[in-house]
Amino acid sequence: MSQHLLDPAWLARLERMQLATRKAVSGSHAGKRRARQLGSSMEFADFRAYVPGDDLRQLDWNAYARSGKLFLKKYLDETELHVSLYIDCSRSMGYGQPSKLSRSVQIAAALGYLSLCHLDHVSVYAFDHRIVASLQGVQGKGQAHRLLSFLSAIGEGGPGDLHGALRQPGAVRGKAGISIVLSDFLFPDGYAEGLAYLQAARQEVTLVQVLSQEERQPDYAGELRLIDAETGQAKEASMTALLLAEYAKSLRDFRQELAAFAYGRGIAYTEIEAEQSLESVVFHVFRQAGMIR
């Protein structure tokens, strides 16, 4: 299962990374993030690998004697982060090869796994016009099998409605945290209201827009009957160079409008090509975008 979603060859690299947050976080449970105030509890929570800059006083020399590797002990007064991953599984996400949905699920697996390795609380929601499946509040690397099992079972749903899905009871955590939305954002009723609702719930929102090659650069010719994946509506079209140029402009305008909306509201926005390898997305695109460090 893990090999299907995540390449075991670079799991160790994921474990050394963490989601970046623009806000200081605090809490009373185990975590691996630097708190506003240093923890004083002596109740042991977990280990993590030493990285340059860590407090050498927290090194566990017994673990070093056994393994020859440096580990730090973490205690209960350190901080945790609540991470919510929203995966759009509406019909339009089934498009492409690989599909936008399958790539989004893999991305969620990578982000969820590295968050669990830092003892963040991770919740995942699959949605179309409603929340169709959810896994809430898992924590710790030992819960990775639950995360991957849940993600492996996500399938294509019905028409999409971001705002309608988020307004369902329990769809948004009451605690402040990071919410990452993986979608093409091609919702008939738009995305603005739903994203504003997330922000009102004290979420630091990140948008990951996933589009397929055929959507970005369609290679169509002749007389075609086009069917909307979300609504089922059909339209006859003559695929001329002029029509394709108009489509390219419409798509460019849509992406620019989404980016401008995000920028204006202090929301992080990243574009992903569904055909990009997961390794490239995580270790290059996300790092360059400042999503992870």
Side-chain angles (χ1 to χ4, degrees):
M1 185 183 303
S2 61
Q3 294 180 5
H4 168 65
L5 293 177
L6 298 174
D7 186 345
W10 41 266
L11 289 183
R13 292 174 66 188
L14 278 179
E15 293 172 12
R16 294 193 296 268
M17 306 176 82
Q18 67 182 51
L19 288 177
T21 175
R22 299 187 295 273
K23 301 175 182 177
V25 295
S26 62
S28 59
H29 300 290
K32 292 187 177 179
R33 296 177 183 274
R34 199 170 298 278
R36 291 189 180 96
Q37 297 181 344
L38 292 178
S40 59
S41 169
M42 294 306 293
E43 185 176 351
F44 172 71
D46 198 7
F47 292 102
R48 76 165 170 83
Y50 168 81
V51 294
D54 282 333
D55 186 350
L56 296 178
R57 294 171 297 178
Q58 301 296 330
L59 285 173
D60 187 294
W61 295 108
N62 290 329
Y64 177 76
R66 292 192 302 270
S67 67
K69 298 180 180 179
L70 294 175
F71 292 95
L72 272 71
K73 282 187 175 181
K74 308 304 291 181
Y75 297 94
L76 288 183
D77 277 355
E78 294 187 327
T79 64
E80 79 268 2
L81 184 68
H82 292 268
V83 179
S84 298
L85 302 169
Y86 293 90
I87 303 173
D88 179 3
C89 64
S90 61
R91 289 179 190 143
S92 67
M93 291 293 288
Y95 196 70
Q97 193 61 245
S99 73
K100 294 178 286 183
L101 176 58
S102 64
R103 183 62 78 222
S104 296
V105 166
Q106 288 183 315
I107 293 172
L111 297 178
Y113 181 80
L114 67 87
S115 297
L116 290 178
C117 290
H118 283 268
L119 292 181
D120 296 330
H121 293 267
V122 177
S123 298
V124 186
Y125 304 86
F127 72 94
D128 47 24
H129 61 281
R130 60 187 179 88
I131 301 297
V132 298
S134 66
L135 176 68
Q136 300 188 30
V138 295
Q139 185 184 32
K141 185 178 175 181
Q143 296 296 308
H145 69 286
R146 289 187 61 197
L147 172 71
L148 298 178
S149 178
F150 173 82
L151 290 170
S152 296
I154 293 177
E156 184 181 331
D161 179 355
L162 178 62
H163 183 61
L166 294 178
R167 289 304 297 263
Q168 284 197 283
V172 180
R173 291 188 62 87
K175 294 187 177 182
I178 289 180
S179 285
I180 301 173
V181 185
L182 298 146
S183 174
D184 55 17
F185 294 95
L186 299 172
F187 302 110
D189 294 329
Y191 49 77
E193 193 174 3
L195 297 178
Y197 182 75
L198 264 185
Q199 284 193 300
R202 301 181 298 158
Q203 298 300 300
E204 183 179 323
V205 181
T206 294
L207 310 182
V208 179
Q209 186 180 31
V210 185
L211 294 175
S212 70
Q213 171 69 23
E214 278 195 89
E215 289 170 323
R216 299 189 312 272
Q217 296 176 318
D219 185 21
Y220 298 149
E223 303 295 325
L224 298 176
R225 187 170 187 261
L226 304 178
I227 301 175
D228 190 307
E230 294 286 322
T231 66
Q233 294 180 338
K235 186 173 183 179
E236 308 295 331
S238 179
M239 306 304 292
T240 63
L242 178 60
L243 182 61
L244 290 172
E246 291 178 353
Y247 169 82
K249 181 180 183 304
S250 295
L251 179 62
R252 185 169 60 251
D253 290 346
F254 174 74
R255 298 169 81 172
Q256 290 174 350
E257 287 169 5
L258 178 58
F261 172 86
Y263 178 79
R265 295 193 63 99
I267 294 173
Y269 168 72
T270 302
E271 296 179 358
I272 296 298
E273 299 175 359
E275 299 76 26
Q276 287 179 276
S277 70
L278 181 60
E279 185 175 10
S280 174
V281 169
V282 174
F283 297 116
H284 299 290
V285 178
F286 284 171
R287 293 192 74 171
Q288 291 177 357
M291 277 182 61
I292 59 178
R293 56 185 175 86

